[in-house]
Amino acid sequence: ITSGGVTYHDQPWHKECFVCAGCKTQLSGQRFISKDEYPYCVDCFSRFYAKKCAACKKPITALGGAKYISFEERQWHGECFNCAKCSVSLVGQEFLTRQGDILCHECG
């Protein structure tokens, strides 16, 4: 490697050889997530490994310091953790559950 190399896990890589373990897209200069010692592009990691939000069903990733709520095997993006009836945010609030829904005290 004479120029433009990448270091990953203290090992040198040609930038054209440093690719996503899922789709084989080059990762040099891109955001990626490591899983089981393998690098993945954000899309592949989200598709294969990320937990899905119980409200919007989109992947929850840790990129950008994203915060999420976890309760009884379910997870939500912070912005999706809302009362199922009135949509008020329940982040940091007490809530009730009924038939899989999360509800504020007013609606519960």
Side-chain angles (χ1 to χ4, degrees):
I1 300 172
T2 57
S3 68
V6 175
T7 299
Y8 177 69
H9 286 294
D10 295 325
Q11 297 294 316
W13 294 72
H14 293 112
K15 69 178 182 178
E16 58 273 5
C17 296
F18 186 63
V19 298
C20 171
C23 68
K24 307 303 183 209
T25 298
Q26 283 189 23
L27 294 174
S28 178
Q30 305 296 316
R31 296 173 88 178
F32 68 91
I33 301 170
S34 181
K35 171 77 172 150
D36 299 328
E37 303 294 319
Y38 294 101
Y40 290 88
C41 68
V42 174
D43 289 341
C44 283
F45 180 85
S46 295
R47 189 172 338 132
F48 300 135
Y49 299 109
K51 296 181 183 300
K52 305 293 189 270
C53 176
C56 73
K57 309 299 184 226
K58 292 181 182 170
I60 297 172
T61 64
L63 290 177
K67 296 189 184 210
Y68 69 96
I69 291 86
S70 182
F71 177 74
E72 293 183 345
E73 307 297 320
R74 294 184 292 167
Q75 293 78 34
W76 294 263
H77 294 107
E79 62 273 14
C80 296
F81 192 62
N82 301 320
C83 175
K85 284 192 174 183
C86 72
S87 298
V88 68
S89 175
L90 295 173
V91 175
Q93 305 296 315
E94 292 183 2
F95 60 92
L96 304 167
T97 61
R98 184 173 61 211
Q99 297 174 347
D101 288 335
I102 54 170
L103 303 167
C104 68
H105 277 281
E106 186 94 7
C107 293

